[in-house]
Structure formats: C-alpha cells, structure tokens
Amino acid sequence: MSPADPTHPNEAARLTQQLLDEGYTKRQVAKILGRDASLVSQFFTKGKGAAFVAALRQVVRAVRGGERDVEALGAVAQENVERRRTRTGQKARVRGKDVVGEAGGSMAGRAGKQAIRSGASHLAPVVHETGRAGGRLAFTVRMKADQFTMSAGSMEDSPGLRRGFVPRADGTEERTYGSASTGGFDAAEWSQRVADHHGDVTEAMKAWLVETGRAVADADIAYLEVRAWVPEEHR
C-alpha cells in the first residue's frame, strides 16, 4: 500500500487524531482497538485502518459522552471491530480470548462511571451473545460499602469465593459474583434480564442485587465488569 497523503488523512487517521487531541496516545488507541501501536501509526503513514473505522467512531462518541477509561473504551471498540477476511472473502477466525461463539471461547466488558450512567449498553452484546452460545457469566460490581447489605466476603454473598471482594480507599468495594470455578451464571437467563430492562445492564444488575438481598434499594453502581465464557464441555 502506498504512503498516505498527510494533507488528506483517511477516516481511521482522522478519528484517531480526534482521540489524540483528547489526550490519548497512539499506544492507548492501539490498546483500545486490541492491536499493536505500529498498526495505528500506519493509519497515518500507509493509509491503513479501514476495518477499524466503525470501532473508532463509537470510541470517539463514547469519549465525547464522557467516558475516559481505556478498558471501558476497549470494550466499546471490540463490539465494532470489523473482522479480517481470508483471500476467499470469508471472515477470518478471531484470535485470542474475545470470542464466545464456540466452546472454550470467552470475552469480557467493563463499564466505568460515565458508561454506567448510560446503562452500560455496550455490555449488553456480551450478555446476549453468550446467552445464544449457551455460555456462562461472572460479574464484578463496585459500590459504596454501605450499599451492600451482606458482609464482605461472606459465603452468603459470594458462594465459593472466599475473597470475592476488594475494599477501596474511596469507601467503595468491588465484589465478584460467579466464576469459572463455581460455574458462573446462566447467560441465557441474564440475557432475558437485560432485555427486560431494555438493554440497560446497570439496571439489570442493580435489580438482581436488590432482589437477592445483596444491596439496598437505592444502590448506585459505580463500576461493572462482565466476564463471559462457553464451557469446554459444550463442544
């Protein structure tokens, strides 16, 4: 591919520049896209990056909406990255662990403060795709310590997870619910829960915490992480 014209950058370079103008580095943009920093540089020097335009647009939109966390932005990007294609034009197999379409595959998504306010909607596809694949889910929730109703690390709160919580200096705690070792939660059931809340993953999680007696009615989730996988026995 011939070098790009610096006076007429392609769409990937233009969107990346908007992120650079927001204070991110090329290395951070690469991390958000799940690629190497050298590839991001080639958006500018070789005109590459067409497959990442949709993802970059959503990331720029999220940043303008107030999201700043690199990991949360990465979750947004991964839902919009165009799959590479083989020479015959078919979509190439995805490398790594961000796949739940087959046994042994897994993926994850995170939502920080700004994304939480909008319902952490970018996490919904993680839940729904895993539900369709017959997979399992685990969650990490961060809230003010006094909004949890059960004692931290109790078996009643997180069965099988002796250290399923992390206290923080700001008065919040992170608690983990479900894991591969304990079997996790049925993703199909959670897919329905999210659908019942019109794609609002934050509200679906809050409702579950309240329903199960784990949180007060006016709980305010500050951070949410979803981890998804399809057990190997589903081959």
Side-chain angles (χ1 to χ4, degrees):
M1 182 176 292
S2 60
D5 181 352
T7 62
H8 296 88
N10 66 12
E11 188 68 359
R14 189 184 68 79
L15 291 166
T16 298
Q17 186 59 55
Q18 291 183 35
L19 294 175
L20 298 180
D21 292 342
E22 289 285 344
Y24 294 94
T25 65
K26 288 182 180 179
R27 186 176 297 278
Q28 287 176 312
V29 174
K31 183 176 181 180
I32 289 170
L33 295 176
R35 296 294 188 272
D36 188 85
S38 62
L39 176 59
V40 174
S41 294
Q42 291 178 40
F43 294 174
F44 297 88
T45 61
K46 295 186 178 181
K48 293 186 176 182
F52 300 95
V53 168
L56 286 166
R57 282 176 180 159
Q58 293 302 318
V59 170
V60 169
R61 183 174 300 172
V63 169
R64 288 177 175 173
E67 181 60 70
R68 301 296 302 180
D69 183 75
V70 171
E71 292 186 344
L73 292 173
V76 172
Q78 291 311 305
E79 294 301 325
N80 294 277
V81 171
E82 181 178 326
R83 292 268 296 278
R84 288 184 292 271
R85 293 183 178 273
T86 64
R87 292 181 178 178
T88 59
Q90 295 182 330
K91 289 185 177 180
R93 293 183 62 184
V94 177
R95 296 172 294 181
K97 297 184 178 181
D98 294 327
V99 187
V100 292
E102 58 185 25
S106 65
M107 66 192 303
R110 303 169 181 81
K113 184 181 296 184
Q114 296 298 328
I116 287 291
R117 291 176 181 171
S118 61
S121 58
H122 66 281
L123 298 183
V126 177
V127 176
H128 294 318
E129 288 178 29
T130 310
R132 288 192 292 269
R136 311 293 292 181
L137 298 173
F139 304 93
T140 294
V141 181
R142 183 191 305 162
M143 298 192 304
K144 289 290 186 181
D146 60 6
Q147 294 183 339
F148 289 102
T149 59
M150 298 180 182
S151 60
S154 70
M155 288 294 291
E156 186 180 8
D157 184 44
S158 298
L161 296 174
R162 292 184 180 180
R163 296 181 179 82
F165 75 98
V166 178
R168 298 169 61 87
D170 61 2
T172 63
E173 287 181 358
E174 283 188 5
R175 299 198 186 183
T176 298
Y177 300 105
S179 70
S181 62
T182 61
F185 297 96
D186 181 3
E189 177 185 335
W190 269 93
S191 180
Q192 185 59 55
R193 283 180 174 274
V194 171
D196 290 344
H197 287 83
H198 309 289
D200 191 320
V201 183
T202 306
E203 283 301 311
M205 172 53 69
K206 176 181 174 180
W208 178 80
L209 290 169
V210 174
E211 288 170 11
T212 58
R214 289 176 165 85
V216 298
D218 60 348
D220 185 17
I221 296 175
Y223 171 86
L224 179 62
E225 178 179 324
V226 179
R227 296 174 302 286
W229 69 94
V230 177
E232 290 284 352
E233 59 266 25
H234 282 215
R235 288 186 184 278

